[in-house]
């Protein structure tokens, strides 16, 4: 406003005020997440220090890591190489610090493990993550399986290992560096950039900042590169370096964020190291972030993100898309993939961790962008990552494949595979915060039957309790919970109630009281008084699941006589287990609180939710004598969570953006070992319109965990509430999920044995097709079904990529597309593109039923999609869906194969078959009522089983024959051969 | 079919054997799942073929109910779940026959609708035949419903009679009143003119004496009102300060919706304040005493309204905030609210025990001349008052009747009986009330407006909407959906809140009881005959109300 204009009339002034307000409102809508509640790297002392170290390395010409292995200390014995790791810089100063202990383990699975720890620290660094994350002590490679090739002239030690001797590890002593090679090609490099840094535990003393700065200044001056620069620059660079050096000494002890102070009594103990994926442009994993499948650069010119990816389990309200901010769960597992190689690492640490990603330019023409590195010779493609953890020991596993399947198996052999779930839990779940009372529950249940929409589980959120006291009921609203569950159970349906880890502080509440008596709460930093914070019930305490007594006590709460009103058909939802603490820093618990065994929370933060999840699963498993598998959904997760149940992507938003985000998020979580995951269908916050909700159901039926959920403030959205045509479209979608349940269950069984993801990124199925490496808007269910969700409004056509050279068949009308290449496919309101790949056989159950339980005795349909050679294969796994009898071999696993015009069915005999076979006997007689054979080049004329002819009808659909074989009179329990011509 | 069992002698269980059974079990010539009335649709042609009911395909008759879906319309499998899209007939002997979805055949659930258990015949689930008991209970229940409906229908006929008669009556009354409008209007105009003239004459005749007297008379009142305004302004500022401090200091991590609502309401208030143009009176002293007083009163009422708004914000929080968080900023604000509320009367929007100052009548001026004029003025005023009373009674009568005539009481005027009738429902926390065609409220220690009647939903005249109620914190304006069912009395049977701030009232009333078809016309006929006398009776009733 110019003062010369004089007074502004009131009316004008009002307009200005309004427009400012409107702007404020718009901003509020765009940025729902409260970013200022959460730390950036620069607000997290150890992250800033390690990043500054990386800056120094980057800006120092001919930077060399100060770490060296003492060659005379190296010993290789029974698959384990040990030695002393020295920081020569530290040794320049008078120091009596012992060297770091270095270990390299070669595992019997062809994986390798690298450990770096302090020898004789002033107090032990936390090394307990392995006790809870690793499923069992692993075996080491036998002495015959590896070969020490000796040292070369540069002191590089080379060991060859692996089942086919395909792997090589080269250990350089000075500077310290490890290279993993597959068939002679460098693949994973450790400390190649020299960013290894290890903050030794120490006693608090006055910092000598000036001296450090001076020293660094001298070094900079003596640098030949700097001398080449003009005089003015010289000073500038010198000052900058000294600033970076200062940064290395910042926030070592007490640290503040907003109104919170982290006391950090042990001082700095962080460490970091770079891991380079050589020859690899795409890296994946390190969930959970609302970001793309292929990770984006956080460092270097043109990096889309300025902060590193952060792993720190947090309750983030209305999180934003395309962002490396931490969310509810953490899995420090990263997989790199190129046309020629695939490798992965697992950074086994549960403290706060940040990961920088930097990509070498694929194309060298953009050289101006990398002038800083100009002195380095042009390198081939590589992804450089920098891992930074706040506490604990450096403990890294390296998996070299050579295939994805090998990596998934190798990783799963350490942290476990997904538990085989209750069959109902992979069907449809109906949830809302909240179904208000028994009447409401009965009406919603009846609504599904009335509208002929199948569902399996009805969920109750926090309002069902008496004042957020878990394991209790609001008796006015739910006077008879047992009857309510039994009423659902007669239709094969289950119920889930929420149980959170915060316990209302209330002497009259039995759980609170028992917890206090048993002394099982997390302690304040003084180590003796109970920590007290705020959550849904108000003043609360958090159970310390690191205390074995607490875990057993917690598990015992689920027995029927303790959890009054629970029945066999009641299962559990663990929420707020990051843990969410409304009154805490970053909405979580302070890092300096104390767990059992005097363990500071900062060491185990990212595992807390999993410990809770695990104790709950234990409770459900042992609550009865009925031999039932547990089902527990958790929001927080870590490596190993898959052993305890499902997870979901937390509090998303009813927006197209969040529908789109769900695919990359779930793919990332899945490839990181946790296949049983889903996103809230419809979006948790806000109210979706009918189109968004319908599109979300069409996508959601292809999430491994399929649940609709809604916030208290949102409009009701049960599937029939929007009327036609939406009810029919949603019914059709949910029914499609139900017809494919045999296929899904078979995939879960495969995951439970092999550690494979269930929904799979395109690149894992087509590893040589570079066009799919960054693709996350379409994906595969198993290796057979391609899904491309519609994630924009008013879309009637989708651009689908058909990979490979084979055909693809629309799963609804069997129309055919030929790969490879992109094609525009109709995706009208009632369907999204979903295709079955030629060469696969998909088992289905096509009869509409009201729950998965009601399908138990239904016959099967096999959809056989022949490839260009006339071949196809697939499998079917079936068990009772609820007990552990499958462990005793009481299951049916059948492999189907077509070649030379014969479909053969062969039962895979169980290795563990013993005793129990009641299910096998009962279900073995289930018949295959129908075969649909796709891709035949001519109509089938004759189908026979033995000497019996079976009816077949063929029709031409879009240039290809669809042949339906009626009642071949074969069963899943008995081998057969069916010939067709 | 026999060949199958030869081929698969080991498969004695499950579906194959079921299929064998099916072929043999076709009682009363109708295949399983087909009702006797549809049996004629399931007859083979002369070559033992059969056509799907949609005519799309011809299949061997043996493929009917062979537990494999051949027809697109699912008509070949009325007795199995193979298609899952058709209807399965349960004879339910002892009760009423019913059709269930074929998707529920052999699904392990004993469907209630199929009390004879015939839906589960595959041997996996044993469903006992409970039709005798179910039938007996159902008959009892039917009888009960029937008697409710009979009684309800009888009562509803009364409603209709009343409604129709009332409509005629109101129409007549309206006509009468309208015919009087011109007359009373004219009389009123004449009286007004006469009164004005008389007043003018009086004022002219006594101007200066009156003004002096008036100033003296109003002086203490103006002083008093100035004091009140000052006090009120101070209180308002104190409340604003309290809210400002709440806004800045409350703990945002608790996500207490009540606190959030109050803070955002306060923000709205501040914005609204900013948009108001300040109406600063130029100089009170130059105005006449009357206008001075009026201006003070106006300004005070603005401040009092502000106080009311601010108090509502604080009170909303006080009622709903989570007492377990012990947020100091919130507790401080609650304390202020408590202290303030002792002094405040929110229904009058003024401080308790304060009587509004009223502009007094002018004091009579003592002079015989003036007296004469005043007497003339008084009597003219009396005439005017009388004429005005008559006129507004006529207008009011017209408005009231028009309002009722414009209301949609349903095609047969059933709901005229219930207009403005009010009903309460108590649950554990609140008492809910609705005055039909009026307002709905939620009451505990204070009242929350849930909505005003805004119309019928659908065409059945059994669902009413009440909208535009008080806005929810962080939510929509409250509203009520009132769903009616047949009963012999009119009362609310349940109140729920299926989603936040959207209430569902269930009301039973004779007004929606079905009247057997054909009876309506007869009723109308009777009614016309009785119309006049009934009408008179209702007029009396109406007047009593």
């Amino acid at each position: 406003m110019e003062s010369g204009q004089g007074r502004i009339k009131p009316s004008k002034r009002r307009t200005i005020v309004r427009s400012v307000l409107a702007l404020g409102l718009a901003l509020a809508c765009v940025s729902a997440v409260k970013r200022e509640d959460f730390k950036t790297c620069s607000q997290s002392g150890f992250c800033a220090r390690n990043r500054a170290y990386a800056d120094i390395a980057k800006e120092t010409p001919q930077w060399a890591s100060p770490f060296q292995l003492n060659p005379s200390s190296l010993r290789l014995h029974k698959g384990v190489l040990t030695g002393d790791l020295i920081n020569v810089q530290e040794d320049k100063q008078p120091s009596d610090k012992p060297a770091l202990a270095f270990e390299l383990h070669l595992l019997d699975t062809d994986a390798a493990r690298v450990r770096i720890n302090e020898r004789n620290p002033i107090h032990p660094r936390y090394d307990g993550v392995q006790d809870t994350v690793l499923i069992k002590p692993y075996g080491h490679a036998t002495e015959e399986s590896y070969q020490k090739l000796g040292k070369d002239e540069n002191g590089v030690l080379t060991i060859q290992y692996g089942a086919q001797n395909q792997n090589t590890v080269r250990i350089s002593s000075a500077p310290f560096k490890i290279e993993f090679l597959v068939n002679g090609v460098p693949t994973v490099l450790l400390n190649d950039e020299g960013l290894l840094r290890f903050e030794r535990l120490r006693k608090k003393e006055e910092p000598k900042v000036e001296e450090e700065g001076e020293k660094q200044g001298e070094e900079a001056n003596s640098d030949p590169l700097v001398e080449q620069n003009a005089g003015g620059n010289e000073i500038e660079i010198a000052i900058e370096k000294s600033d970076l050096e200062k940064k290395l000494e910042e926030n070592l002890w007490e640290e503040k964020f907003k109104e919170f102070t982290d006391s950090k009594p042990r001082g700095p103990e962080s460490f970091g190291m770079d891991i380079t994926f050589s020859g690899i442009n795409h890296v994946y994993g390190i969930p959970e972030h609302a970001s793309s499948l292929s990770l984006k650069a956080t460092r270097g010119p043109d990096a889309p993100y300025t902060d590193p990816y952060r792993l720190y389990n947090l309750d983030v309200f209305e999180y934003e898309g395309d962002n490396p901010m931490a969310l509810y769960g953490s899995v420090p597992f990263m997989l790199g993939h190129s046309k020629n190689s695939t490798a992965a690492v697992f950074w086994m640490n549960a403290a706060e961790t940040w990961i920088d990603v930097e990509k070498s330019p694929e194309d060298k023409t953009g050289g101006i962008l990398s002038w800083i590195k100009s002195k380095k010779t042009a390198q081939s493609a590589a992804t450089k990552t920098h891992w930074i953890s706040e506490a604990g020991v450096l403990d890294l596993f390296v998996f070299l494949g050579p295939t994805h399947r090998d990596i998934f198996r190798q990783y799963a052999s350490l942290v476990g595979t997904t538990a085989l779930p209750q069959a109902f839990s992979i069907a449809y779940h109906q949830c809302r915060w909240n179904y208000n009372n028994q009447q409401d529950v009965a009406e919603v249940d009846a609504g599904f039957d009335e509208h002929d929409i199948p569902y399996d589980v009805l969920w109750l959120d926090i309002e069902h309790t008496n004042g957020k006291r878990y394991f209790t009921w609001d008796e006015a609203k739910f006077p008879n919970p047992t009857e309510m569950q039994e009423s659902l159970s007669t239709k094969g349906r289950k119920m889930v109630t929420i149980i959170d880890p915060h316990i209302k502080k209330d002497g009259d509440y039995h759980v609170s009281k028992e917890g206090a008596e048993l002394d099982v709460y997390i302690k304040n930093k003084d180590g003796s008084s109970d920590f007290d914070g705020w959550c849904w019930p108000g003043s609360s305490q958090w159970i310390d699941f690191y205390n074995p007594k607490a875990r057993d006590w917690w598990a015992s709460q689920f027995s029927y006589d303790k959890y009054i009103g629970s029945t066999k058909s009641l299962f559990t939802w663990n929420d707020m287990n990051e843990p969410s603490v409304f009154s805490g820093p970053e909405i979580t618990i302070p890092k300096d609180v104390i767990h059992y065994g005097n363990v500071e929370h900062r060491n185990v933060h990212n595992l807390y939710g999993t410990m809770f999840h695990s104790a709950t699963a234990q409770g459900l498993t042992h609550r009865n004598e009925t031999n039932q598998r547990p089902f527990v959904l958790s929001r927080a997760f870590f490596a190993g969570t898959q052993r305890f149940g499902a997870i979901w992507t937390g509090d998303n938003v009813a927006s197209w953006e969040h529908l789109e985000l769900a695919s990359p998020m779930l793919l990332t979580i899945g490839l990181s070992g946790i296949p049983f995951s889903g996103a809230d269908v419809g979006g948790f916050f806000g109210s979706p319109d009918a189109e968004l909700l319908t599109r979300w159901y069409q996508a959601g039926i292809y999430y491994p965990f399929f649940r609709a959920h809604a916030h208290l403030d949102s409009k009701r959205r049960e599937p029939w509430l929007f009327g036609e045509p939406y009810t029919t479209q949603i019914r059709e979608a949910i029914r499609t999920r139900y017809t494919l349940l045999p296929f899904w269950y078979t995939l879960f069984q495969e995951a439970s044995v092999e550690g494979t993801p269930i929904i799979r990124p395109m690149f894992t199925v087509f590893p040589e097709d570079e066009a799919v490496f960054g693709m996350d808007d379409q994906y595969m269910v198993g290796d057979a079904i391609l899904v491309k969700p519609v994630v924009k409004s008013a879309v009637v056509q989708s651009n689908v990529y058909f990979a490979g050279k084979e055909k693809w068949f629309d799963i609804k009308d069997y129309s055919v597309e030929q790969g490879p290449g992109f094609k525009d496919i109709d995706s009208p309101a009632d369907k999204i593109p979903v295709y079955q790949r030629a060469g696969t056989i998909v088992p289905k159950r096509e009869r509409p039923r009201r729950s998965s339980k009601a399908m138990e005795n239904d016959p099967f349909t096999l959809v056989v999609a022949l490839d260009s050679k006339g071949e196809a294969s697939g499998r079917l796994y079936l068990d009772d869906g609820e007990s552990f009898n499958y462990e005793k071999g009481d299951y049916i696993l059948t492999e189907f194969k077509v070649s030379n015009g014969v479909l053969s069915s062969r039962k895979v005999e169980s290795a563990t078959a013993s005793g129990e076979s009641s299910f096998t006997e009962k279900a073995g007689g289930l018949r295959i009522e129908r075969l649909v054979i796709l891709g035949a080049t001519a109509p089938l004329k004759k189908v026979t089983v033995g000497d019996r002819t079976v009816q077949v009808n063929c029709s031409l659909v879009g240039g290809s024959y669809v042949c339906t074989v009626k009642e071949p009179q074969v069963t899943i329990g008995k081998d057969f051969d069916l010939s067709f011509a | 079919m026999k060949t199958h069992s030869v081929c698969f002698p080991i498969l004695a269980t499950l579906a194959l054997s079921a299929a064998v059974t099916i072929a043999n079990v076709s009682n009363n010539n109708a295949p399983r799942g087909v009702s006797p009335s549809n049996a004629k649709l399931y007859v083979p042609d002369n070559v033992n073929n059969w056509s799907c009911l949609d005519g799309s395909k011809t299949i061997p008759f043996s493929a009917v109910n062979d537990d494999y879906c051949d027809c697109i319309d699912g008509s070949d499998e009325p007795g199995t779940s193979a298609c899952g899209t058709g209807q399965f007939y349960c004879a339910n002997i002892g009760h009423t026959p019913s059709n269930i979805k074929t998707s529920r055949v052999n699904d392990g659930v004993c469907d209630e609708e199929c009390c004879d258990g015939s839906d589960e015949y595959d041997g996996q689930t044993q469903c006992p035949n409970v039709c005798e008991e179910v039938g007996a209970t159902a008959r009892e229940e039917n009888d009960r419903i029937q008697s409710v409906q009979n009684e309800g229908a009888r009562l509803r006929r009364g409603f209709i009679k009343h409604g129709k008669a009332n409509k005629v009556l109101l129409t007549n009354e309206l006509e009468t009143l309208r015919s009087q409008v011109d007359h009373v209007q004219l009389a009123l105009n004449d009286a007004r003119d006469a009164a004005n003239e008389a007043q003018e004459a009086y004022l002219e005749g006594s101007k200066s004496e009156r003004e002096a007297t008036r100033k003296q008379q109003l002086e203490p009142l103006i002083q008093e009102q100035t004091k009140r305004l000052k006090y009120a302004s101070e209180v308002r500022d104190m409340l604003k300060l309290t809210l400002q401090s709440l806004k800045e200091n409350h703990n945002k991590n608790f996500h207490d919706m009540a606190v959030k609502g109050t803070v955002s309401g306060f923000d709205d208030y501040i914005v609204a304040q900013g948009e108001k143009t300040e109406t600063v009176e130029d100089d009170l002293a130059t105005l006449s005493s009357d206008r001075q007083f009026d201006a003070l009163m106006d300004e005070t009422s603005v401040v009092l309204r502000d106080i009311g708004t601010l108090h509502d914000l604080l009170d909303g929080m006080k009622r709903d905030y989570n007492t377990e968080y012990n947020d100091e900023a919130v507790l401080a604000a609650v304390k202020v609210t408590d202290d303030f509320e002792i002094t405040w009367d929110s229904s009058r929007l003024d401080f308790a025990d304060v009587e509004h100052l009223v502009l007094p009548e002018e004091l009579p001026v003592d002079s015989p001349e003036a007296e004469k004029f005043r007497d003339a003025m008084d009597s003219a005023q009396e005439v005017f008052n009388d004429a005005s009373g008559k006129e507004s009674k006529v207008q009011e009568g017209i408005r009231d009747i028009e309002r009722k005539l414009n209301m949609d009481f349903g095609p047969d005027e059933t709901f005229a009986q219930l207009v403005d009738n009010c009903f309460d429902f108590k649950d554990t926390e609140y008492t809910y009330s609705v005055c039909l065609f009026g307002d709905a409220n939620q009451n505990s220690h204070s009242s929350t407006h849930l909505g005003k009647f805004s119309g019928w939903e659908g065409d059945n005249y059994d669902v009413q909407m009440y909208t535009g109620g008080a806005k929810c914190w962080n939510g929509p304006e409250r509203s009520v959906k009132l769903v009616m069912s047949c009963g012999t009395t009119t009362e609310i049977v349940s109140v729920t809140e299926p989603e936040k701030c959207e209430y569902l009232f269930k009301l039973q009333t004779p007004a929606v009881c079905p009247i057997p078809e054909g009876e309506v016309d007869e009723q109308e006929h009777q009614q016309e005959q009785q119309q006049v006398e009934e009408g008179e009776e209702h007029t009396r009733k109406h007047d009593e109300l």
Side-chain angles (χ1 to χ4, degrees), chain B residues 121-139:
Chain B
Y121 58 80
D122 64 358
Q124 297 294 311
T125 307
Q126 302 303 324
C127 296
N129 185 334
V130 292
C131 285
E132 285 301 335
E133 304 146 62
V134 172
T137 316
R139 280 187 290 279

Side-chain angles (χ1 to χ4, degrees), chain A residues 10 14 17-18 21 34 37 259-260 317 432 434 436-437 439-440 443 448-452 469 476 490-492 504 534-539 582-584 587 711-716 735 847-850 853-854 857-859 921-927 929-930 948 951 953 964-971 974, chain B residues 3-4 7-8 10-11 13-16 19 57 60 63 66-70 76 80-85 101-111 113 119-120 122 124-125 251-255 257 260 271 274-277 322-327 428-429 473-476 496-500 502 504 506:
Chain A
R14 227 176 296 150
V17 169
R18 280 222 187 93
L21 273 167
K34 286 191 166 169
D37 281 349
E259 68 262 39
F260 304 99
F317 178 84
R432 177 179 175 85
N434 215 96
N436 297 329
N437 50 37
Q439 176 72 14
D440 198 1
E443 284 173 8
F448 277 95
D449 285 341
E450 186 186 327
H451 296 91
D452 222 4
R469 293 169 183 86
T490 58
K491 292 180 229 167
K504 185 181 172 73
W534 297 90
C535 207
W536 297 123
S539 181
F582 293 164
S583 52
I587 329 291
H711 188 271
L712 184 70
D713 287 340
S714 67
K715 298 279 295 170
R716 283 269 177 157
R735 280 189 178 180
R847 301 185 175 193
R849 295 292 200 183
R850 65 181 126 201
K853 181 84 181 161
N857 297 322
D858 283 351
E921 279 162 21
K922 184 179 157 208
L926 290 174
R927 70 195 205 276
E929 64 172 337
R930 185 186 297 110
R948 185 161 43 78
Q951 186 183 325
N953 289 304
T964 306
V965 177
K966 172 177 175 175
E967 292 289 9
Q969 288 151 33
V970 295
T971 65
K974 193 161 180 289
Chain B
T3 47
H4 304 164
C7 285
F8 293 91
I10 47 158
L11 296 172
T13 56
L14 281 178
L16 281 183
K57 202 172 175 183
D66 67 346
D67 203 23
Y68 182 88
C69 191
D70 294 287
D76 61 316
T80 79
S81 61
C83 298
T85 51
K101 296 180 171 103
T102 53
S103 63
R104 290 172 194 178
V105 172
N106 288 334
D107 68 346
V109 181
C110 300
D111 281 78
E113 297 89 334
D119 59 324
E120 297 296 316
D122 64 358
Q124 297 294 311
T125 307
N251 189 332
K252 286 145 195 95
N253 288 328
F254 292 159
H255 298 291
M257 291 301 171
K260 279 186 178 179
V271 170
E275 288 181 1
K276 269 186 203 159
T277 41
N322 190 330
T323 54
E324 287 159 346
Y325 287 158
N326 286 324
D327 184 334
T428 48
E429 269 177 278
W473 302 130
N474 206 29
T496 53
E497 190 181 354
E499 54 200 288
K500 207 177 172 192
E502 296 184 15
L504 177 67
K506 290 192 176 166

Side-chain angles (χ1 to χ4, degrees), chain A residues 531-780:
Chain A
F531 171 76
D532 182 327
W534 297 90
C535 207
W536 297 123
S539 181
S540 305
Q541 296 176 315
W542 274 259
I543 295 171
D544 179 8
F545 292 99
Y546 273 87
N547 183 341
K549 189 172 66 177
R551 287 201 298 273
D552 288 342
W553 166 74
W554 179 257
S556 74
Q557 297 300 317
F558 290 87
S559 70
Y560 300 124
D561 55 336
K562 291 284 292 190
Y563 187 178
I564 305 300
S566 68
T567 72
K568 188 182 156 205
S569 65
L570 186 72
F571 297 85
T572 303
W573 172 15
N574 283 167
D575 198 3
M576 311 294 276
N577 53 337
E578 295 74 26
S580 178
V581 179
F582 293 164
S583 52
E586 303 193 84
I587 329 291
T588 190
I589 203 162
K591 282 176 174 168
D592 52 11
V593 300
I594 302 293
H595 291 278
Y596 178 79
N598 201 27
V599 172
E600 229 194 339
H601 180 74
R602 91 180 63 247
N603 292 294
V604 295
H605 175 84
N606 287 342
L607 254 170
Y608 178 78
T610 307
M611 298 295 284
F612 171 50
H613 195 187
S614 140
T616 304
Q618 180 192 330
L620 289 184
T621 309
H622 297 301
R623 66 178 167 170
N624 54 59
E625 304 293 317
T626 50
N627 183 26
Q628 287 272 304
R629 295 174 220 170
F631 170 74
V632 187
L633 177 74
S634 167
R635 190 169 69 182
F637 57 84
F638 192 73
T641 283
Q642 59 269 25
R643 311 200 297 265
F644 313 115
I647 65 104
W648 93 108
T649 59
D651 298 346
N652 62 356
V653 181
S655 69
W656 290 97
E657 188 203 9
H658 272 256
L659 167 56
E660 186 173 7
L661 261 179
S663 304
M665 287 180 77
L666 297 176
L667 289 171
T668 300
I669 292 166
L671 74 83
S672 308
I674 309 179
F676 196 7
S677 68
D680 282 343
V681 169
F684 177 63
F685 289 108
S687 297
D689 63 16
E691 185 195 11
L692 174 59
L693 184 67
T694 306
R695 288 305 198 187
W696 212 318
Y697 271 102
Q698 290 168 346
I701 63 171
Y702 298 103
Y703 300 161
F705 174 63
F706 174 33
R707 181 183 76 154
H709 186 30
H711 188 271
L712 184 70
D713 287 340
S714 67
K715 298 279 295 170
R716 283 269 177 157
R717 57 171 94 140
E718 285 69 52
W720 53 89
L721 288 180
F722 286 89
E724 294 299 347
Y726 306 106
T727 305
T728 296
Q729 288 163 2
I730 294 172
R731 177 194 299 118
E732 178 59 26
I734 298 177
R735 280 189 178 180
T736 301
R737 169 68 167 218
Y738 276 75
T739 62
L740 286 169
L741 285 177
F743 175 63
W744 280 98
Y745 196 58
T746 303
L747 288 173
F748 269 92
Q749 190 269 343
E750 182 191 0
S752 77
V753 175
E754 301 277 322
T756 41
I758 288 173
I759 60 170
R760 300 174 186 170
M762 296 299 292
F763 80 85
T764 64
V765 183
F766 300 95
E768 293 184 1
D769 185 349
E770 285 178 335
V772 303
F773 290 180
M775 196 176 277
D776 57 14
D777 57 353
Q778 65 177 58
Y779 59 85
M780 300 293 294

